[in-house]
């Protein structure tokens, strides 16, 4: 995929939904259902060492969009290019997330245990699952894939190609990272799905229930459901996905997520796609607890992927 080119399809989509995107910049504070505030206020506590909050002008949303970025200690004094990890937050989060991950990453880099890396923390909103809504109100996938990643590559000294990009996330972030990696496998060398539910979107397509999720989000066209289904994308892009290093991790007590994760693990096996699959005995949907348990090896898989 050439990130410098934007298809006519997407240019038309931008113009058709621009008025919707502009209005969505003004008020996204619903209590239920998908929502997003495109630029959030920093927390009261100082940001972790190396982390800054930035915004960029996004054409798909017709407004500024916030993100956080971690730059390694030697970034300012060097001229080298750095690999990037894109860390997607869970449901209800925003660009101020993944600070437990950042702390572990920074500590390991300073100690010489990991090579210097950049980490980007995008803003994915609530209940969007990092998909584009059919009505244009939530162009999350377009914002992330077609605009934020090119912005990061143009603004910072990154390894701006597949071999220099990793994607990961916990819960909704893991679900989004998995689907995006299946859809755009040539953009990433490594995927780490952390307790991310992987549902069969196409299986729940029901045009007779337009007000029920995901029909209310993905719209009336069946093709849109297949295009947002990780299982269907695995079949479609299997050859390129087989070049992607995949790690999946989930707790055995994570009842709401372990079922579909096991199904996707089996789908990868059936497709003969090599991957690493880990079930943590006795762990539920507990991000901080899982990260602490795995902290010594949390980034090892990405680093191995980058080295290859």
């Amino acid at each position: 995929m050439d990130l410098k080119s934007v298809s006519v399809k997407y240019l038309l989509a931008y113009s058709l939904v621009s008025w919707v995107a502009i209005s969505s910049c003004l008020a996204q504070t619903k209590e239920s259902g998908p929502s997003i505030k495109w630029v959030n206020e920093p927390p009261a506590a100082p940001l972790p060492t190396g982390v800054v909050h930035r915004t960029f002008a996004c054409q798909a949303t017709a407004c500024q969009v916030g993100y956080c970025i971690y730059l390694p200690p030697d970034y300012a004094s060097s001229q080298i290019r750095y690999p990037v990890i894109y860390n997607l937050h869970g449901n209800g989060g925003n660009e101020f997330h993944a600070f437990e991950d950042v702390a572990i990453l920074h500590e390991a880099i300073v100690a010489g245990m990991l090579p210097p890396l950049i980490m980007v923390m995008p803003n994915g909103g609530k209940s969007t699952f990092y998909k584009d809504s059919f009505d244009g109100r939530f162009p999350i996938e377009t914002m992330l894939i077609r605009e934020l990643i090119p912005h990061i590559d143009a603004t910072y000294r990154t390894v701006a190609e597949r071999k220099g990009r990793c994607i990961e996330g916990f819960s909704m972030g893991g679900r989004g990272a998995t689907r995006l990696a299946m859809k755009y496998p040539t953009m990433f060398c490594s995927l780490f799905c952390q307790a991310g539910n992987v549902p069969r979107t196409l299986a729940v397509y029901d045009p007779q229930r337009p007000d029920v999720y995901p029909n209310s989000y993905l719209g009336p066209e069946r093709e849109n459901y297949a295009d947002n289904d990780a299982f269907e994308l695995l079949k479609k892009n299997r050859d390129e996905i087989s070049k992607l290093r995949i790690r999946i991790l989930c707790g055995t007590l994570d009842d709401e997520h372990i079922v579909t994760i096991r199904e996707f693990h089996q789908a990868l096996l059936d497709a003969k796609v090599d991957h690493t699959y880990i079930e943590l005995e006795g762990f539920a949907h507990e991000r901080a607890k899982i990260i602490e348990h795995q902290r010594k090896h949390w980034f090892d898989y990405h680093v191995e992927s980058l080295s290859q």
Side-chain angles (χ1 to χ4, degrees):
M1 173 181 169
D2 183 0
L3 289 173
K4 294 182 179 179
S5 63
V6 180
S7 67
V8 172
K9 172 183 174 182
Y10 279 90
L11 287 174
L12 289 173
Y14 287 154
S15 61
L16 288 171
V17 304
S18 60
W19 67 272
V20 178
I22 292 170
S23 64
S24 73
C25 290
L26 302 178
Q28 297 292 345
T29 56
K30 289 185 177 181
E31 291 299 321
S32 60
S35 64
I36 189 167
K37 182 178 180 183
W38 293 108
V39 180
N40 292 273
E41 294 297 323
L47 296 179
T49 301
V51 175
V52 293
H53 183 224
R54 295 286 184 263
T55 66
F56 76 103
C58 178
Q59 186 176 1
T61 65
C63 63
Q64 295 288 316
V65 176
Y67 66 93
C68 282
I69 185 167
Y70 165 80
L71 299 174
D74 65 347
Y75 182 87
S77 60
S78 77
Q79 295 300 318
I80 66 173
R81 293 189 171 273
Y82 298 83
V84 184
I85 298 173
Y86 288 87
N87 183 292
L88 310 188
H89 63 74
N91 203 0
N94 55 44
E95 65 265 38
F96 297 102
H97 71 276
F99 291 158
E100 297 97 336
D101 306 62
V102 167
I104 293 172
L105 179 61
H106 179 71
E107 179 182 304
I109 290 173
V110 170
M113 298 173 63
L114 290 178
L117 304 167
I118 292 172
M119 178 180 280
V120 176
M121 291 147 274
N123 179 10
K126 175 185 176 183
S127 300
T128 68
F129 302 101
Y130 297 92
K131 300 174 182 178
D132 287 348
S133 62
F134 81 101
D135 59 9
R137 294 178 63 213
F138 305 103
I140 309 299
E141 177 184 312
T142 297
M143 176 274 291
L144 176 59
I145 296 295
R146 296 183 177 272
E147 298 203 47
L148 177 61
I149 291 178
H151 167 78
I152 295 298
D153 287 338
T155 308
Y156 304 92
R157 294 194 314 277
T158 67
V159 178
E161 52 187 312
R162 178 184 197 167
K163 67 180 183 180
R165 291 194 201 99
C166 307
I167 191 167
E168 66 177 22
F170 186 86
S171 194
M172 184 182 90
R175 173 175 171 171
T178 300
R179 185 187 63 84
L180 291 172
M182 297 300 102
K183 192 170 184 177
Y184 304 100
T186 61
M187 287 184 64
F188 307 100
C189 70
S190 187
L191 162 68
F192 184 10
C193 175
Q194 307 158 9
N197 190 20
V198 190
R200 294 179 181 269
T201 307
L202 186 59
V204 295
Y205 167 64
D206 186 357
Q208 304 304 314
R209 306 178 71 191
D211 297 329
V212 177
Y213 187 89
N215 304 289
S216 59
Y217 194 86
L218 294 179
E221 302 297 330
R222 184 180 184 277
E223 180 182 359
N224 203 28
Y225 293 74
D227 203 36
N228 281 281
D229 188 312
F231 291 85
E232 297 299 314
L233 293 167
L234 172 59
K235 297 174 187 176
K236 178 181 178 181
N237 299 325
R238 188 263 171 202
D239 289 347
E240 287 297 336
I241 289 170
S242 66
K243 303 172 188 176
L244 173 71
R245 298 190 81 238
I246 301 170
R247 185 188 191 204
I248 301 172
L249 178 150
C250 191
T252 58
L253 301 183
D254 192 347
D255 297 336
E256 293 186 5
H257 298 79
I258 192 68
V259 174
T260 62
I261 287 176
R262 285 171 174 166
E263 289 178 354
F264 190 66
H265 164 55
Q266 186 59 51
L268 289 169
L269 290 175
D270 293 342
K272 295 182 171 55
V273 172
D274 189 29
H275 63 287
T276 297
Y277 179 75
I278 301 170
E279 290 190 6
L280 293 178
E281 190 68 35
F283 283 80
H285 202 63
E286 305 163 292
R287 180 175 180 274
K289 186 177 179 180
I290 288 174
I291 291 175
E292 182 58 31
H293 180 266
Q294 296 281 304
R295 66 179 295 131
K296 290 183 179 179
H297 309 289
W298 195 243
F299 292 102
D300 286 359
Y301 197 82
H302 284 326
V303 171
E304 291 170 2
S305 301
L306 293 166
S307 68
Q308 296 181 19

